Amino acid sequence: MNKYRPTPDKTPTANALHPNIYLLSTVIITVIAGFLYGYDTGIISGALLQITQEFDLSHNAQELVTSAILFGAVLGALGGGKLAEIIGRRYTIMSIAVLYIVGVICCSLSETAFWLGMSRLLLGCAVGGSSQIVPVYIAELAPAHKRGRLVTYFNISICTGILAAGLVGAFLQHYWSWRTMISVAAVPAVILTLGMLKLPESPRWLVGQKRINEARKVLGMMRESDSEVVRELWSIEKVRREASKSQRAGWGELRKPYVRPALIAGLGVAAFTQLSGLEMMIYYTPTFLSDAGFSHTAALYSALGVAVIFLVMTIIGKLLVDRVGRRKLTLIMMPWAAVSLIILGGIWLFGGDNPNNSWIIVACLFAFMVFNAGGIQVIGWLIGSELYPVAIREKAASLHAAVLWGSNLILTGTALTLVHWLTIGGAMWFYAVLNIIGFLFVFFMVPETKGKSLESIEDDLRNNNFSPRRREAVK
């Protein structure tokens, strides 16, 4: 135990900033990547009208330009884990920030729709990579009792980026070209690159590289007492020693029986985060409302309302997730999201053309956003940052992000076709069923991780004490 004891010049009291302030500052700089994720994926809705006019895009070509970033995100998510394993979390985020800069510049300089699509695919690699590594980096820096609140800053940053994109698209449409709308994202990307220069590496990655003194120093800057540093460092290295043989197994470790419950729970949450329909609402709300007889202006303002609710509910979810718990918060909110969609679908099926129903449509739409954004959306990235054992954390987090982005791609690529087949009302009922299935999945497969360290979650896996039913029986 003595080898972990902080030396005098590495204790928390030696820092210029209080540990809590330093940790929060680190998180705020890092989650700029989330803002870029939200803005770069969301700005296409406001820029697409101009892009379509300039390049004379067909309906299918518009879908390809829009979804190229999502395909790139899958690739970036799968590749980000390996990079983070080799060069560390900090340098991976810096590399992704540079990729954001290159991507938006290439998009803004594209002379054809083909090159715009390729540039957005490149930009998608940055989006996918950041969604994989940023939650992991924050989770590995945070103490267990603050991990949920701190990781969900990433969600808040994503929502802020989506809202910023919506505001730019709505109010600067006649002042900025689509190239300007896209290229301004280079500014926060530069800030992220420069900000990461001063931030620490993950102590858990440092321990894995046998750089114990550096890990001790990082923990000392972010924990309020020496005893916390000693206890956490000992726990991290203990788990690392147990996983050392597994780490050499590579991707094959994902097939180990003890890992399977975490993969099922984490990847299932990743899928239902998207399949529950929130991204579909963000991308296609103006289209749905226009089809329901809303004016273009009313549809646009309603879409902004959706983005505002997404941000507000994510902030509320951040405040609740470490108090209420990941599992409980989702189980409370998800049934009401399904009810909102059932009512919304019924109105569209049996009275969507009645102008007197307009306020009910908007109310149900906003209600769905409240319950979905404040529930499963809060835990989507959080669960992916805390469930997976250290031996496969980079790889499993990559797979988690890839499943999330792949589900987004499937949802986005099929939403209009589903509406064509089932009508808008039938599509809403279909998404309601997915919300019900998602609720049942969380109920039976996802345990509570509130207040537990990453190492204790891994101990539960190795001791076959991970499933919700087994955990409740133990209690």
Side-chain angles (χ1 to χ4, degrees):
M1 190 68 91
N2 288 337
K3 70 175 180 176
Y4 301 112
R5 191 174 304 282
T7 55
D9 64 329
K10 293 173 182 171
T11 59
T13 57
N15 297 318
L17 293 176
H18 187 277
N20 290 337
I21 296 175
Y22 183 72
L23 176 59
L24 182 60
S25 301
T26 299
V27 171
I28 289 173
I29 292 172
T30 306
V31 299
I32 294 173
F35 177 89
L36 291 165
Y37 159 169
Y39 186 88
D40 288 331
T41 55
I43 194 60
I44 192 64
S45 62
L48 192 58
L49 290 175
Q50 293 186 28
I51 293 171
T52 300
Q53 290 176 352
E54 180 172 334
F55 295 136
D56 191 25
L57 299 182
S58 66
H59 177 73
N60 289 335
Q62 291 178 52
E63 289 183 337
L64 288 174
V65 168
T66 301
S67 60
I69 197 169
L70 303 178
F71 182 71
V74 175
L75 300 179
L78 289 173
K82 184 62 176 178
L83 188 63
E85 185 179 353
I86 295 172
I87 67 174
R89 284 70 162 124
R90 174 171 167 264
Y91 283 117
T92 298
I93 296 172
M94 291 177 66
S95 301
I96 288 168
V98 172
L99 191 58
Y100 269 120
I101 297 171
V102 174
V104 297
I105 291 175
C106 289
C107 286
S108 65
L109 296 177
S110 298
E111 294 296 330
T112 66
F114 172 80
W115 287 113
L116 177 60
M118 291 297 99
S119 298
R120 280 179 58 78
L121 190 148
L122 178 65
L123 190 58
C125 291
V127 170
S130 62
S131 67
Q132 182 273 332
I133 191 56
V134 171
V136 169
Y137 176 69
I138 297 173
E140 291 187 343
L141 289 175
H145 65 285
K146 295 180 180 178
R147 189 174 61 244
R149 296 195 298 276
L150 292 177
V151 173
T152 50
Y153 272 107
F154 182 65
N155 302 59
I156 292 172
S157 189
I158 293 169
C159 299
T160 304
I162 291 173
L163 179 58
L167 292 171
V168 168
F171 299 113
L172 297 178
Q173 187 76 224
H174 302 296
Y175 303 97
W176 285 2
S177 70
W178 67 266
R179 298 178 189 276
T180 303
M181 292 182 193
I182 292 175
S183 62
V184 293
V187 175
V190 170
I191 295 173
L192 175 61
T193 305
L194 297 177
M196 291 301 301
L197 291 173
K198 294 294 185 179
L199 298 190
E201 182 52 82
S202 160
R204 287 166 170 84
W205 184 81
L206 289 170
V207 170
Q209 303 299 307
K210 303 188 185 306
R211 292 157 62 177
I212 306 298
N213 287 334
E214 293 176 61
R216 181 175 60 215
K217 182 177 181 179
V218 172
L219 287 172
M221 292 187 293
M222 296 190 175
R223 301 295 184 266
E224 296 188 55
S225 69
D226 292 354
S227 61
E228 285 183 83
V229 174
V230 172
R231 184 168 55 250
E232 190 166 348
L233 192 58
W234 178 84
S235 178
I236 293 170
E237 191 169 13
K238 173 178 175 289
V239 171
R240 277 286 183 182
R241 284 198 304 269
E242 293 174 353
S244 59
K245 293 182 180 180
S246 298
Q247 280 185 290
R248 291 193 292 271
W251 284 93
E253 183 71 6
L254 293 172
R255 296 193 294 269
K256 293 292 181 66
Y258 87 98
V259 173
R260 194 174 301 129
L263 280 179
I264 292 172
L267 299 184
V269 168
F272 282 111
T273 299
Q274 298 301 320
L275 297 178
S276 56
L278 182 130
E279 294 289 346
M280 174 268 299
M281 290 296 190
I282 290 174
Y283 294 151
Y284 295 119
T285 286
T287 301
F288 293 156
L289 294 182
S290 296
D291 290 344
F294 285 67
S295 68
H296 179 74
T297 301
L300 187 59
Y301 285 152
S302 296
L304 281 177
V306 164
V308 170
I309 291 171
F310 192 11
L311 174 59
V312 171
M313 291 309 301
T314 302
I315 293 173
I316 293 173
K318 180 193 89 70
L319 299 174
L320 294 176
V321 72
D322 275 331
R323 298 180 182 181
V324 177
R326 289 80 160 130
R327 168 184 159 84
K328 186 175 180 180
L329 182 64
T330 305
L331 293 179
I332 290 172
M333 302 292 273
M334 213 163 183
W336 295 107
V339 169
S340 301
L341 289 177
I342 291 170
I343 297 174
L344 184 60
I347 294 170
W348 254 312
L349 284 171
F350 304 114
D353 295 333
N354 186 343
N356 294 326
N357 291 334
S358 297
W359 70 270
I360 304 178
I361 290 174
V362 173
C364 289
L365 175 63
F366 285 179
F368 166 77
M369 289 299 300
V370 166
F371 294 117
N372 189 278
I376 194 168
Q377 299 302 321
V378 174
I379 73 166
W381 294 115
L382 173 58
I383 287 293
S385 70
E386 60 186 14
L387 281 190
Y388 306 123
V390 65
I392 61 160
R393 186 164 296 149
E394 296 91 351
K395 298 176 180 65
S398 292
L399 191 58
H400 184 97
V403 168
L404 200 148
W405 283 112
S407 300
N408 190 350
L409 181 60
I410 292 171
L411 191 79
T412 303
T414 60
L416 295 181
T417 301
L418 195 65
V419 167
H420 178 73
W421 286 348
L422 303 178
T423 73
I424 297 177
M428 294 302 106
W429 281 1
F430 178 80
Y431 294 124
V433 170
L434 290 178
N435 276 264
I436 293 170
I437 296 172
F439 168 84
L440 294 173
F441 178 85
V442 172
F443 182 82
F444 287 108
M445 304 304 298
V446 181
E448 185 56 71
T449 55
K450 179 186 73 170
K452 295 183 68 66
S453 71
L454 299 179
E455 288 69 36
S456 64
I457 293 171
E458 180 163 346
D459 283 340
D460 284 342
L461 279 168
R462 292 183 180 276
N463 296 326
N464 197 27
N465 189 32
F466 183 80
S467 75
R469 286 166 292 180
R470 187 175 295 274
R471 289 280 298 279
E472 289 172 4
V474 170
K475 291 180 182 179

